[in-house]
Amino acid sequence: MIQDDRIEALSALPGPSLAGVEDFVALLKPRVMSLVVLTALTGFVVAPTGQHPVLAAISLLCIAVGAGASGALNMWWDADIDAVMARTASRPVPSGRVTPGEALAFGMTLSVGSVLMLGLVANWLAAGLLAFTIAFYVVIYTMWLKRWTPQNIVIGGLAGAMPPMVAWAAQTGTVSLESAVLVALIFMWTPPHFWALALVKSEDYARAGVPMLPVVAGPDETRRQILLYSIALAPLGVAPALVGLGGWAYLVASVLGGFEFLRRAVMVYRVREGAPARKAAMGLFGYSILYLFALFVLLLVEKLVGLAPLAGPVAGWL
């Protein structure tokens, strides 16, 4: 394991923290948190029953804080890796602005607080699912899978996929096929999304000793896996409409969006050399973010404006 002596030295220094508020906000991984908030909010809105709006808002905040806590604990554990990767070297811990001890305390406090508060405000099923999500991301993915297997992002992607189910449980006290479909959609989206970026950043991962798929299996196999997962993702993108969560607008958009995702995945598979290959990979990475955000926003908007979900034979297919 790569060690950063500077981090160890800083963590041993006595005295008050020199970190600013913005450093602790950065520990929460706000860009990742924005996706968690959107998918959890969608889970709240499309669920068939609801809490009081104030309680729902507090529950959503708990889920967001739990996700941020996972990010802080991830940065605490991965400080040695982050220090040698160009895209992560400026993070608060490897840069020395936040000590490892501070990041650990911050993450643990938010983790315990968010789970307890969600249990008290909503129910303990939702709290248990949130606790599972945090533990899975920190212990299973960060501490184990990330440094052990090139399938790290596949298995570890379950943690990032859970917020809609946690929200659904907070609203209804149960889990359901509908919430599982939302989880499956995010789960299947994660590998092609992340591997597209990993193709471009493979040297960073190799330098840090992280067995990401392009490093271990090579870029050609990574492109093949991106294409296979994209083929599986396209029908899952449509599935929320088929289980009665989305309407005709969602159905049309998900079909068209899935075809575009596949087109870009095929481009990544076919274009393998030089700047065009890099452009194709980054194009898929950028589009994948837009694709997932658009699907969940459409589910949210359809529900809020009162558009009826699909019913009858179409919704009954599943």
Side-chain angles (χ1 to χ4, degrees):
M1 181 183 300
I2 302 170
Q3 296 294 329
D4 190 334
D5 295 336
R6 180 180 59 176
I7 294 175
E8 293 182 358
L10 284 170
S11 65
L13 291 176
S17 172
L18 299 178
V21 173
E22 67 278 5
D23 295 316
F24 286 99
V25 171
L27 284 176
L28 300 176
K29 295 189 175 181
R31 286 186 293 181
V32 175
M33 188 186 291
S34 66
L35 179 60
V36 170
V37 170
L38 173 62
T39 58
L41 176 61
T42 303
F44 274 112
V45 171
V46 301
T49 60
Q51 299 172 291
H52 187 279
V54 174
L55 297 181
I58 296 172
S59 297
L60 179 61
L61 178 63
C62 289
I63 296 172
V65 170
S70 300
L73 293 172
N74 170 269
M75 289 197 197
W76 159 68
W77 185 263
D78 276 353
D80 58 331
I81 290 174
D82 289 347
V84 297
M85 294 181 63
R87 73 182 185 89
T88 57
S90 61
R91 285 177 173 176
V93 179
S95 67
R97 301 192 306 276
V98 175
T99 69
E102 290 170 340
L104 174 61
F106 184 61
M108 288 299 299
T109 300
L110 294 184
S111 295
V112 174
S114 62
V115 170
L116 291 179
M117 181 61 72
L118 185 59
L120 294 171
V121 169
N123 55 70
W124 292 106
L125 172 61
L129 289 172
L130 180 60
F132 167 80
T133 301
I134 295 170
F136 194 92
Y137 183 76
V138 175
V139 178
I140 303 300
Y141 170 69
T142 300
M143 295 184 175
W144 177 35
L145 295 173
K146 185 173 182 179
R147 305 183 188 222
W148 177 67
T149 172
Q151 296 299 311
N152 46 24
I153 202 63
V154 176
I155 306 169
L158 178 62
M162 287 295 292
M165 183 174 284
V166 179
W168 188 286
Q171 286 286 70
T172 67
T174 64
V175 296
S176 67
L177 171 63
E178 293 88 347
S179 63
V181 165
L182 296 178
V183 170
L185 169 57
I186 304 171
F187 180 80
M188 195 62 66
W189 167 87
T190 302
H193 161 74
F194 202 92
W195 283 334
L197 178 64
L199 278 172
V200 177
K201 303 293 183 181
S202 59
E203 291 183 3
D204 248 4
Y205 287 112
R207 184 163 55 249
V210 178
M212 203 58 66
L213 189 62
V215 176
V216 174
D220 288 348
E221 176 61 18
T222 303
R223 290 183 171 90
R224 190 178 76 88
Q225 291 292 326
I226 287 173
L227 181 58
L228 292 175
Y229 274 92
S230 299
I231 292 170
L233 172 65
L236 273 174
V238 179
L242 304 182
V243 297
L245 293 180
W248 284 106
Y250 178 88
L251 179 63
V252 172
S254 61
V255 169
L256 295 178
F259 275 121
E260 177 62 13
F261 202 110
L262 279 173
R263 186 190 72 81
R264 290 176 179 267
V266 169
M267 187 68 68
V268 170
Y269 181 77
R270 295 179 61 184
V271 181
R272 304 189 175 198
E273 299 293 337
R278 177 186 176 92
K279 182 179 179 181
M282 291 306 296
L284 176 60
F285 174 75
Y287 175 77
S288 68
I289 298 172
L290 175 63
Y291 169 80
L292 194 68
F293 266 83
L295 292 187
F296 276 86
V297 167
L298 273 170
L299 289 174
L300 191 61
V301 169
E302 283 188 332
K303 182 72 173 184
L304 291 176
V305 302
L307 295 178
L310 295 178
V314 178
W317 289 347
L318 293 183

